Amino acid sequence: MRKICTGCRDGTDFDIPFDMAFQPIVDTATGTPFAYEALVRGADGSGAYGVLSQVTDQNRYAFDQACRVKAIESAMAAGLMATDACLSINFLPNAVYSPVACIQLTLQTARKAALPLDRLIFEFTENEQMASPDHVATIIESYKQIGFKVAIDDFGAGHSGLDRFARFAPDEVKLDMELVRGIESDRRRQAIVRAMVGLCTELNTLLIAEGIETAAEAATLRRLGVRYHQGYWYARPALGMLPAIAPETLAV
């Protein structure tokens, strides 16, 4: 695994060895992957914490850029173009000082790899501290104009989810796993998810449930109208590979 070196805004280089794992987002109506999410891992396959703990205010921009490059190159090497799936990449809004300037390396990498831009999704978490919501809105609008899709991750985990949903108008919303956990026996969670299904349908927003770990959770979410699923129940993240969806999960 080669290291990726990217210059920071102030010209300082840094070197963080890391790799990417991939996990499918499943279209339960077709039994095929709608997208693969790229997940940061240590160079030895360890969890993301060891890498993310090295990210500082000084190197956040360079790390964000390196993640985009690594995600695209790794997904293409793993065979993304042999599927119809998109590639979903997590990004750090606070690392983007200029949407136009900061997207150039991503565009260059995608074009070099022959990855169509409309197959790229950029996720940002609802929990992230935003220096300027107006700046984030500008980033999202710029990305949409380029042809990318934008998703809010961990929806329902923060205190301003509906406000950000209204303000940023994402293409996709990913329900936080705490809303999914044990949903088969929790009427309140079911009511919240049912309401989100209606809201997303009215606003033409794709709704994804993540963190699904059991057959009961998967079946309940499908009954509530959530078509797109992600979680260990379907496939665990695989380092440098696009893991297959467990066939028995699609019969639930």
Side-chain angles (χ1 to χ4, degrees):
M1 194 282 299
R2 70 180 180 85
K3 295 180 180 180
I4 298 177
C5 299
T6 309
C8 295
R9 287 180 59 188
D10 61 6
T12 303
D13 288 336
F14 82 115
D15 213 351
I16 299 179
F18 66 92
D19 217 323
M20 284 288 175
F22 297 94
Q23 186 178 38
I25 298 171
V26 181
D27 180 347
T28 61
T30 64
T32 60
F34 161 73
Y36 289 93
E37 181 180 358
L39 301 164
V40 171
R41 293 291 183 266
D44 59 355
S46 57
Y49 177 77
V51 178
L52 297 178
S53 63
Q54 300 180 62
V55 178
T56 66
D57 289 343
Q58 289 69 42
N59 66 22
R60 182 176 289 108
Y61 169 75
F63 178 68
D64 184 65
Q65 293 286 303
C67 282
R68 297 162 184 245
V69 171
K70 186 64 177 175
I72 293 171
E73 292 181 346
S74 297
M76 295 299 281
L80 182 69
M81 294 308 294
T83 76
D84 294 324
C86 296
L87 173 62
S88 192
I89 302 173
N90 293 277
F91 81 103
L92 304 173
N94 290 341
V96 180
Y97 65 90
S98 165
V100 175
C102 295
I103 202 61
Q104 294 309 308
L105 181 59
T106 304
L107 294 174
Q108 176 185 335
T109 305
R111 287 166 181 158
K112 183 178 179 180
L115 174 61
L117 299 183
D118 62 2
R119 289 180 66 170
L120 279 172
I121 303 166
F122 283 95
E123 299 184 23
F124 70 97
T125 179
E126 180 189 322
N127 282 324
E128 176 154 354
Q129 295 297 317
M130 295 182 184
S132 169
D134 288 341
H135 179 57
V136 176
T138 300
I139 295 170
I140 292 172
E141 183 59 31
S142 297
Y143 282 13
K144 287 184 175 184
Q145 289 178 1
I146 290 170
F148 302 145
K149 299 180 183 68
V150 177
I152 295 180
D153 196 8
D154 299 328
F155 187 84
H159 67 280
S160 58
L162 288 174
D163 176 65
R164 290 181 177 178
F165 189 11
R167 183 168 191 171
F168 299 145
D171 301 290
E172 303 170 11
V173 167
K174 300 182 76 174
L175 291 173
D176 183 71
M177 64 178 63
E178 289 303 316
L179 285 173
V180 168
R181 192 65 60 246
I183 192 172
E184 72 278 4
S185 58
D186 192 317
R187 291 180 59 192
R188 290 182 180 275
R189 283 180 168 83
Q190 291 175 24
I192 291 169
V193 171
R194 188 181 296 110
M196 281 301 301
V197 169
L199 183 62
C200 287
T201 298
E202 184 173 348
L203 296 176
N204 195 31
T205 303
L206 190 145
L207 183 64
I208 300 167
E210 59 183 347
I212 300 169
E213 295 186 353
T214 69
E217 289 170 353
T220 301
L221 288 160
R222 291 189 68 175
R223 177 174 58 80
L224 292 172
V226 182
R227 173 174 172 173
Y228 298 92
H229 293 192
Q230 182 179 3
Y232 285 179
W233 170 248
Y234 294 96
R236 289 180 175 270
L239 196 66
M241 298 174 56
L242 305 181
I245 301 166
E248 64 273 15
T249 66
L250 301 174
V252 173

